[in-house]
Amino acid sequence: MKLRVYRTLWGVLADTDGEKAECPFLDIEEAFAEISRLGYDGVEVPFKFILSCGIDRFKELLNKNSLKIIPMVFTEGVVAPGEGIVFGGPYPGFTKPSNPGESDKKLLVETHLKVFKEQVVAAQVLNPTLVNCHALKDCFTEEMAAEFFTDALAWQDKNNYRVLHETHRKRFLHSPWVARGFVPKFPDLKMVADLSHWVNVAETNADDPDLTKVIEQFAGKFRHTHCRVGYDHGPQVPDPRVGQWLEYMEGHERWWDAIWHAAAARGDEEVTMTPEHGPPNYQVCDPHTNKPLASIWDVNHWIGLRRQERFAELFGAENTSRLIPSATQGAEPVTNPGESVLKGLENVGFS
C-alpha cells in the first residue's frame, strides 16, 4: 500500500485567501511548481475555483507539474457554481442552489441532488482521483438525508463515479453522534474523514473513548483523510507543532492510523490524505495586528512530513510518499502518537 499526499490550495493562492495566510506562493504558476517540487502527488480545491481558473488552463497546470486533482463539490452555498460571490459565477449550465429559509423539503432535496450531480459530471473531464462532496446541511432531517443519499449513492455506483462525502460542520455528517446511527444504514456510503470537526462538535479531546469508538468503527468507511487538527473549542488548533497542541496532533494521528490500518486490511493499493489547516479566520490571529499566529504553509507541510514518516514506520519506507523538507519547514518536532486509547478496554460506549 502506497501513501499519496495532496496539497490543499485553500490559504495558498491570492484567490483562496493566501494573502490572509501570508503564503509565500500566491501566484498559481509558482504555487504549482513549488507543490510539485516538494513531492506532492496532487492538489485539492473546490471545483468552482477550477471553473474560475479555466478548466483547460487548470488541466495544463496539472500536466505541466505532474499533479493529480481532487475536486471538491458543494450541494449548496456560495461555492456551488450556480451561485455568485465566491470564485465568480454563476456559471452557465449549473443550477442555482436552494435559498436559505426554503420550507419545501422535497424541493430542497431535489435541488441539492441536481447541484451535486451537475458538478460531479462536469468534474470528470479532470480525471479526478476522487470527488470530495460537502453534502446537505446539518439542519436537514434524517428522512431528507436518507432520500438524498439513497439517490446519490445509487447514481454514483451506476455511473462509476468515485465520490466521497465529508464529515464537516454545517453538513449532514457534521456530528459523530448523527453519523453513528445514520451511516450504517448505507453500506455504500464512503466518507472523507475530517475529524477536526467531530472533535469540535463533540467538545472533547482525542483521548475520548466514546468518540474514538465511533471513529474506529467507521475506519473502513473513510477513504480519504483531511489532516487538520481540531480541539474541543474549535476545528483548528493555533499551531499543532507547539505545546499542548502537540498532544492533539498525536491524538488525531492515532485516528488517522486506524484509517490506514483498515485500508491495509482491505488490500487497498494506495491511501490518500490532504493536510488542510486553513487561513484566517480558521487560523487564529493576533487581535492587535491580524497576523496569523502560525504559517499554515509550514504547518500543512509539517503534517505531511510527519505522516510520511509515520507511514514508513507502519508500512515500510519503500511505500511512503516522497515529500522533501521545504526551505522553512522540516519534519520536526517529532510526534509519538502511540496506540489506540481503546486498546485493552472492553464494552466501550454504545451503538
Side-chain angles (χ1 to χ4, degrees):
M1 186 173 73
K2 305 292 186 181
L3 174 62
R4 310 298 185 197
V5 185
Y6 286 68
R7 185 73 190 226
T8 181
L9 296 184
W10 183 36
V12 173
L13 309 175
D15 292 333
T16 59
D17 288 336
E19 290 180 348
K20 290 182 179 179
E22 299 184 348
C23 177
F25 300 96
L26 298 175
D27 175 77
I28 192 169
E29 299 263 0
E30 294 179 359
F32 271 53
E34 181 65 3
I35 288 167
S36 178
R37 187 189 74 81
L38 290 173
Y40 288 89
D41 294 279
V43 294
E44 184 168 354
V45 70
F47 179 66
K48 189 180 182 185
F49 171 81
I50 298 171
L51 291 175
S52 72
C53 179
I55 287 180
D56 289 341
R57 182 189 179 209
F58 198 87
K59 288 172 67 176
E60 183 180 327
L61 285 167
L62 291 173
N63 292 333
K64 177 181 177 181
N65 294 283
S66 301
L67 295 170
K68 298 178 181 179
I69 178 64
I70 296 175
M72 303 171 71
V73 303
F74 299 77
T75 67
E76 63 87 39
V78 297
V79 198
E83 185 61 272
I85 305 175
V86 175
F87 305 141
Y91 290 95
F94 293 94
T95 298
K96 180 178 174 58
S98 302
N99 291 320
E102 174 60 60
S103 60
D104 187 327
K105 294 179 182 178
K106 183 174 179 59
L107 177 61
L108 278 166
V109 173
E110 289 175 351
T111 304
H112 277 254
L113 279 166
K114 194 171 184 180
V115 171
F116 163 69
K117 292 177 181 179
E118 289 169 351
Q119 292 174 82
V120 173
V121 170
Q124 298 309 303
V125 71
L126 299 162
N127 190 27
T129 302
L130 60 94
V131 175
N132 175 10
C133 177
H134 279 219
L136 309 180
K137 296 181 71 173
D138 54 5
C139 61
F140 281 22
T141 65
E142 183 172 327
E143 291 74 21
M144 294 167 72
E147 184 179 347
F148 175 90
F149 282 109
T150 297
D151 187 307
L153 296 175
W155 177 81
Q156 292 172 205
D157 182 65
K158 177 182 177 181
N159 292 283
N160 199 30
Y161 296 142
R162 189 176 183 221
V163 185
L164 310 180
H165 299 271
E166 186 172 341
T167 61
H168 201 289
R169 287 173 308 133
K170 188 182 179 181
R171 307 304 170 192
F172 185 75
L173 297 173
H174 67 288
S175 166
W177 319 130
V178 170
R180 178 175 59 189
F182 183 82
V183 171
K185 299 175 183 178
F186 294 88
D188 294 330
L189 175 56
K190 305 300 187 294
M191 298 180 287
V192 173
D194 191 335
L195 305 176
S196 68
H197 293 290
W198 278 8
V199 74
N200 178 204
V201 169
E203 198 171 347
T204 188
N205 60 44
D207 291 331
D208 187 308
D210 293 302
L211 177 56
T212 298
K213 180 179 179 180
V214 174
I215 290 169
E216 292 188 3
Q217 174 188 342
F218 290 149
K221 291 283 212 173
F222 295 127
R223 302 301 174 90
H224 176 56
T225 306
H226 275 187
C227 294
R228 181 172 56 246
V229 181
Y231 65 115
D232 37 354
H233 300 303
Q236 181 169 303
V237 300
D239 189 338
R241 302 167 296 180
V242 175
Q244 64 174 316
W245 307 122
L246 200 60
E247 295 179 12
Y248 281 84
M249 169 67 176
E250 291 172 337
H252 280 66
E253 286 196 274
R254 291 193 291 272
W255 292 336
W256 301 334
D257 285 353
I259 295 170
W260 285 351
H261 285 304
R266 216 170 33 241
D268 288 3
E269 294 183 358
E270 66 178 39
V271 289
T272 57
M273 58 164 275
T274 302
E276 211 213 11
H277 276 242
N281 288 325
Y282 255 75
Q283 176 59 17
V284 179
C285 294
D286 183 321
H288 300 290
T289 65
N290 233 19
K291 294 180 73 66
L293 295 184
S295 164
I296 62 164
W297 174 262
D298 287 345
V299 165
N300 281 329
H301 196 53
W302 175 74
I303 291 174
L305 290 167
R306 291 285 358 119
R307 295 309 289 162
Q308 176 171 273
E309 289 196 6
R310 181 63 169 169
F311 194 90
E313 178 186 337
L314 295 174
F315 304 104
E318 72 279 9
N319 295 316
T320 198
S321 51
R322 51 191 175 85
L323 300 180
I324 61 173
S326 71
T328 53
Q329 184 63 58
E332 290 75 32
V334 172
T335 56
N336 297 288
E339 297 183 289
S340 168
V341 299
L342 300 185
K343 185 175 182 180
L345 301 179
E346 297 180 4
N347 299 321
V348 175
F350 54 88
S351 298

